[in-house]
């Protein structure tokens, strides 16, 4: 079942968009035309996520997702509890398998 989150990525500024989560991955999507194709439709498979952290910057919840290849992506999420729960469950499942 897909879940949807309103999100902004911190990438050369703050870019609005959204995250679609399914059973295999989370995918950040934005409609900005001047963004590199890598960021425009950024898929992060749960098995490729090394870990994540959540902290508050001013009054915004910021998630830092660290990938196995060393890349880190930062997102501002507007439903942090639900997103944190999803990531916790999916990343833990990948570690166990």
């Amino acid at each position: 079942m897909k879940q949807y989150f309103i999100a902004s990525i911190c990438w050369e500024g703050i870019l609005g968009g959204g995250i679609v989560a399914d059973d295999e991955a989370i995918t950040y999507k934005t409609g900005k035309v001047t963004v590199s194709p890598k960021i425009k439709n950024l898929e992060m498979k749960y098995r490729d996520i090394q870990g994540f952290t959540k902290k508050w910057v001013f009054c915004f919840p910021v998630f830092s997702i660290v990938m196995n290849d060393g890349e880190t992506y930062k997102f501002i999420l507007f439903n942090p509890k639900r997103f944190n729960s999803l990531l916790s469950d999916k990343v833990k499942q990948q570690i166990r398998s």
Side-chain angles (χ1 to χ4, degrees), residues 15-64:
L15 299 172
I19 291 179
V20 178
D22 59 26
D23 292 334
E24 300 294 319
I26 57 174
T27 305
Y28 171 78
K29 297 181 181 199
T30 184
K32 306 285 183 184
V33 294
T34 58
V35 178
S36 76
K38 174 183 178 180
I39 299 301
K40 193 172 183 94
N41 194 29
L42 177 64
E43 182 181 62
M44 295 164 279
K45 297 209 179 280
Y46 300 121
R47 69 174 179 261
D48 296 332
I49 296 175
Q50 184 179 32
F52 69 96
T53 59
K54 180 186 118 185
K55 67 179 181 178
W56 290 87
V57 177
F58 299 108
C59 60
F60 298 105
V62 177
F63 284 82
S64 295

